[in-house]
Amino acid sequence: QVQLVESGGGLVQAGGSLRLSCAASGRTFNMHGMGWFRQAPGKGREFVSSINWSGDSTYYTDSVKGRFAISRDNAKNTVYLQMNSLKPEDTAVYYCAAAPTSRSDYFRRDEYEYWGQGTQVTVSS
């Protein structure tokens, strides 16, 4: 069992930056690949980024490539999402999730086992 708690969301102007954190409980954190998803009002939950257990394999959805960076610190049981050059269309609730294995190649919501409660990111124009 893994429990996840996101933090770091907030209100930022377009072009600004935020760093989201996802703290995990449990001793099995480094056995799980981790992902970030987001859900905008009236839309489905979409994949943003994922990372494997060691941090050397990452994936990004096209719309955030070059602007967002995922990383993890297994000693702190935490995964991060650094978001730069934010755009109004990045506005959403951001969720972290734990994958069923240590790999990062999971892109569908239903592939992830554990979820946090989400943190709101609002980007003003």
Side-chain angles (χ1 to χ4, degrees), residues 3-7 21-25 36 96 115-118:
Q3 294 182 322
L4 304 172
V5 179
E6 302 96 334
S7 62
S21 299
C22 174
S25 64
W36 284 97
C96 71
W115 291 85
Q117 82 291 347

Side-chain angles (χ1 to χ4, degrees), residues 60-125:
Y60 298 91
T61 192
D62 286 346
S63 62
V64 308
K65 284 179 181 177
R67 300 189 297 122
F68 290 11
I70 191 171
S71 62
R72 66 189 294 163
D73 184 337
N74 288 339
K76 296 182 178 180
N77 278 13
T78 302
V79 63
Y80 304 97
L81 186 68
Q82 177 67 43
M83 305 186 297
N84 300 324
S85 302
L86 282 161
K87 304 175 180 180
E89 51 263 43
D90 295 318
T91 295
V93 177
Y94 283 70
Y95 299 88
C96 71
T101 76
S102 61
R103 302 192 332 257
S104 57
D105 54 342
Y106 297 98
F107 311 110
R108 298 198 322 264
R109 176 181 181 177
D110 63 1
E111 294 179 305
Y112 284 77
E113 290 188 318
Y114 304 104
W115 291 85
Q117 82 291 347
T119 185
Q120 176 70 47
V121 171
T122 303
V123 184
S124 63
S125 57

Side-chain angles (χ1 to χ4, degrees), residues 8-9 13 54 98-99 106:
Q13 288 189 329
S54 62
Y106 297 98

